[in-house]
């Protein structure tokens, strides 16, 4: 029997696979409403402020505060009510003190189901993780939850970055993972929209209608394992 014919198209040396530039390299976790149910604590503090001030705060407006800065939230709570800048600052301070009293009660048992497990598993897949939040209180919250040392970077409201989208970009730069390889985990419409605007995938947590901009939406991270999640996200186009 003669030598097997080597077809022109048969590569003799297996080509080196191209670098996986589309692979996922980082997860950027929002804090409030993703790692703990602190979105509910923010909402409750705004409700108490509205009651003290004799303002009506309907459920839809209260829900729409997720992901908004403290000042934008207060503007929405005040609605048509006009106040001086001094009073505006006082009200923001009051809401913050009230909210921080609730934060003091947080313990590691308040970490939302699935988040801890995912944070533990992801580095094993070569994924870097950052916490990204509009809140100036993100670090104390992470500290109370016992999660602070899980993150390679924390970008929050105390940083000199003005918008949610720019905070995502800043985290991607700190982690040295390009935006197209970052996945943002978000519970707010604002956050999901900002992630997509900057070319990142978004894993939305909560209401699918409010999170229609997200790449995929889960009710929560409960039972979601890193391997399956990465497979789904990698297969889903931008
Ligand atoms: C976001 C919350 O994470 O942080 C918003 O979703 C909140 O509800 C914003 O207003 C700012 O938080 P803080 O703690 O600085 O008032
Ligand atoms: Mg949030």
């Amino acid at each position: 029997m003669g030598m097997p014919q080597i077809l022109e198209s048969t590569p003799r040396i297996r080509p080196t696979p191209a670098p996986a530039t589309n692979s996922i390299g980082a997860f950027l976790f929002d804090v409030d409403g993703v790692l703990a149910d602190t979105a509910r604590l923010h909402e409750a503090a705004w409700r108490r402020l509205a009651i003290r001030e004799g303002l009506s705060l309907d459920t839809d407006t209260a829900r729409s505060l997720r992901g908004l800065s403290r000042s934008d939230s207060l503007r929405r709570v005040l609605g048509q009510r006009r106040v001086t800048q001094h009073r505006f600052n006082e009200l923001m301070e009051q809401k913050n003190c009230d909210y921080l009293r609730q934060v003091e009660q947080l313990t590691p048992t308040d970490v939302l189901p699935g988040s801890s497990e995912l944070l533990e598993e992801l580095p094993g897949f070569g994924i870097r993780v950052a916490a990204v939040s509009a809140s100036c209180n993100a670090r104390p919250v992470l500290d109370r939850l016992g999660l602070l040392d899980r993150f390679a970077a924390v970008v929050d409201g105390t940083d000199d970055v003005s918008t949610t989208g720019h905070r995502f970009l800043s985290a991607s730069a700190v982690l040295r993972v390009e935006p197209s390889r970052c996945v943002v985990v978000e519970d707010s419409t604002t956050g999901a929209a900002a992630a997509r605007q900057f070319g990142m995938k978004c894993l939305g947590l909560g209401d699918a209608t409010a999170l229609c901009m997200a790449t995929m939406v889960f009710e929560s991270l409960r039972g979601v394992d890193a391997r399956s999640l990465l497979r789904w996200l990698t297969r889903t186009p931008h």
Side-chain angles (χ1 to χ4, degrees), residues 151-226:
F151 297 99
V154 178
V155 180
D156 63 17
T158 61
D159 289 295
D160 195 17
V161 183
S162 55
T163 70
T164 303
H166 288 98
R167 272 187 285 273
F168 293 149
L169 281 187
S170 171
S172 128
V174 174
L175 297 182
R176 297 175 184 276
V177 177
E178 54 269 46
S180 62
R181 297 180 59 226
C182 291
V183 176
V184 169
V185 190
E186 257 292 346
D187 69 319
S188 77
T189 309
T190 328
R196 302 317 304 280
Q197 186 192 347
F198 286 94
M200 300 180 182
K201 285 187 174 172
C202 177
L203 173 61
L205 297 182
D207 178 53
T209 311
L211 293 162
C212 60
M213 296 287 288
T215 314
M216 56 177 61
V217 180
F218 290 139
E219 217 170 287
S220 81
L221 290 174
R222 188 193 291 272
V224 177
D225 69 287

Side-chain angles (χ1 to χ4, degrees), residues 58-73:
D58 62 68
T59 310
D60 285 348
T61 310
R63 284 282 144 82
S64 76
L65 303 178
R66 270 174 197 245
L68 295 189
S69 69
R70 199 180 303 170
S71 53
D72 284 345
S73 302

